[in-house]
Every structure is written in structure tokens, then in C-alpha cells.
């Protein structure tokens, strides 16, 4: 019987076969390529958040979000405020178990500074159907420079497991094309 205490029988101590050396060389070279990709991706990947980042007390951030909602609220949907901030302004989004507040109504092709933070645990901001992902942690205010480049209704999902209601953590962003919004309301005769 063979036990783990005895050295294995076989030919494993013989010099390494050439093909194995070649394979080892390829694997090592590939490791170095991937290693180089890390700093390269940082500079050339275009995946880094553009904007500011600073520490914030969760309560202070929540107070700022409430101020923001109060100032620019235009309606409500399922109990969530719909907020239409002035073009180009600082906008706020609060993540908590298990919701995204408020619903943002934005203009296409206008740059906003999106402040995003969590009130409790780590959440994952995921914008669907567009593949935008951002990790949201409590205690930090991320001011992301964002420019919506398509009009429509977008869902925010949470892609960081955050508890029993994780799969229910949905939010919404509405992006309107300024020109089309005006023409639609003219057609329907709305004021
Ligand atoms: Cu929030 Cu998962």
C-alpha cells in the first residue's frame, strides 16, 4: 500500500522532458504578459472612474441626498422620488439595503457629476442594459463624471451580494433627448 508518508514511486526525479520545459516557458511568458496588463490596463484600459473621491459619513451623505431630492423632485414612482436635476449639476444616488434612491431623470449628451455612496454595506452599481459597473462602498463619496449618450429607461441593478433582498435591489435612470422630449409634448399638446 502507498501512503502519503512514502515518496511516490516512478520516474518523476528524472530530468524534465524538453516539451515540458517549453510548456513551462510559454506559461511563464504568458504570466508576464498578464502581469504587464495590470498597469497597462490602468493607463490605457479606459475603465477607471473619472472624477473625485472623498470620505463621507453615511449620515451626511444621506442628508445631502435628501436635500437634492427635495430641491429637484418632479414626481414619484412606486414610492420613489423622481428627480430632474439641472443639466450639468452634481447629482446624487444613494445605495442601501435594498434600493437605489432616487430615480434620476437626466438629459442626453449632458455631463453630470454623479455622487454615489452606500449607507450600509458594499453594493454594486450595474447599469442595464448598458455594461457599466461600479463598486459602491459606505464611507466614500465617488463623484463620477458621466454623460448619458443614449435616451431611454435604464435599470440599475445590484451586482454585489448584499443580503437577503439583493436580487430585489433595483433602481432606475431615465434619459431624455431634449429635442425629442420637446417635440413629443408639442404633439400631444401637453404643457
Ligand atoms: Cu445591494 Cu446587492
Amino acid at each position: 500500500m502507498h501512503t502519503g508518508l512514502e515518496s511516490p514511486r516512478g520516474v518523476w526525479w528524472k530530468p524534465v522532458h524538453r516539451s515540458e520545459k517549453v510548456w513551462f516557458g510559454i506559461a511563464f511568458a504568458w504570466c508576464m504578459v498578464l502581469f504587464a496588463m495590470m498597469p497597462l490596463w490602468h493607463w490605457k484600459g479606459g475603465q477607471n472612474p473619472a472624477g473625485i473621491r472623498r470620505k463621507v459619513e453615511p449620515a451626511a451623505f444621506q442628508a445631502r441626498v435628501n436635500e437634492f431630492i427635495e430641491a429637484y423632485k418632479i414626481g414619484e414612482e412606486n414610492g420613489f422620488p423622481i428627480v430632474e436635476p439641472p443639466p450639468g449639476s452634481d447629482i446624487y444616488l444613494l445605495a442601501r439595503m435594498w434600493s437605489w434612491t432616487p430615480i434620476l431623470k437626466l438629459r442626453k449628451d449632458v455631463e453630470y457629476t454623479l455622487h454615489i455612496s452606500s449607507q450600509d454595506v458594499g453594493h454594486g452599481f450595474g447599469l442595464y442594459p448598458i455594461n457599466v459597473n461600479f463598486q459602491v462602498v459606505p464611507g466614500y463619496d465617488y463623484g463620477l463624471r458621466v454623460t448619458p449618450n443614449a435616451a431611454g429607461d435604464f435599470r440599475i441593478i445590484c451586482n454585489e451580494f448584499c443580503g437577503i433582498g439583493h436580487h430585489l435591489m433595483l433602481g432606475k435612470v431615465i434619459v431624455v433627448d431634449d429635442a425629442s422630449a420637446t417635440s413629443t409634448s408639442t404633439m400631444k399638446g401637453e404643457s
Side-chain angles (χ1 to χ4, degrees), residues 11-32:
V11 294
W12 59 272
W13 59 86
K14 285 186 179 168
V16 178
H17 190 266
R18 197 177 153 270
S19 64
E20 198 170 353
K21 278 185 185 165
V22 168
W23 172 239
F24 191 79
I26 292 170
F28 183 75
W30 185 239
C31 282
M32 290 299 106

Side-chain angles (χ1 to χ4, degrees), residues 96 98 122-124 158-162 166 169:
R96 68 174 151 222
W98 292 281
H123 297 281
C158 182
N159 49 28
E160 185 84 51
F161 185 74
C162 57
H166 161 71
M169 190 166 163

Side-chain angles (χ1 to χ4, degrees), residues 22-147:
V22 168
W23 172 239
F24 191 79
I26 292 170
F28 183 75
W30 185 239
C31 282
M32 290 299 106
V33 169
L34 294 180
F35 182 66
M37 285 298 282
M38 284 193 281
L40 197 68
W41 210 249
H42 179 78
W43 300 113
K44 294 280 178 193
Q47 294 199 346
N48 300 307
I52 47 159
R53 178 179 49 208
R54 59 173 164 244
K55 285 190 171 184
V56 69
E57 284 299 315
F61 188 81
Q62 199 193 347
R64 189 68 195 89
V65 172
N66 289 341
E67 245 173 68
F68 168 70
I69 292 169
E70 225 159 86
Y72 305 117
K73 186 176 164 179
I74 56 158
E76 241 177 57
E77 190 180 306
N78 298 327
F80 285 91
I82 303 171
V83 173
E84 186 173 13
S89 62
D90 283 56
I91 60 177
Y92 292 81
L93 187 68
L94 177 71
R96 68 174 151 222
M97 292 190 273
W98 292 281
S99 63
W100 301 92
T101 312
I103 296 170
L104 293 168
K105 189 174 176 186
L106 308 176
R107 298 256 182 99
K108 185 174 171 275
D109 298 327
V110 172
E111 191 190 78
Y112 297 88
T113 303
L114 172 63
H115 293 267
I116 189 165
S117 190
S118 166
Q119 200 194 307
D120 36 48
V121 298
H123 297 281
F125 174 91
L127 192 64
Y128 268 64
I130 297 165
N131 189 17
V132 171
N133 291 287
F134 192 77
Q135 198 162 23
V136 187
V137 293
Y140 284 92
D141 172 3
Y142 293 92
L144 306 171
R145 305 243 154 72
V146 294
T147 307

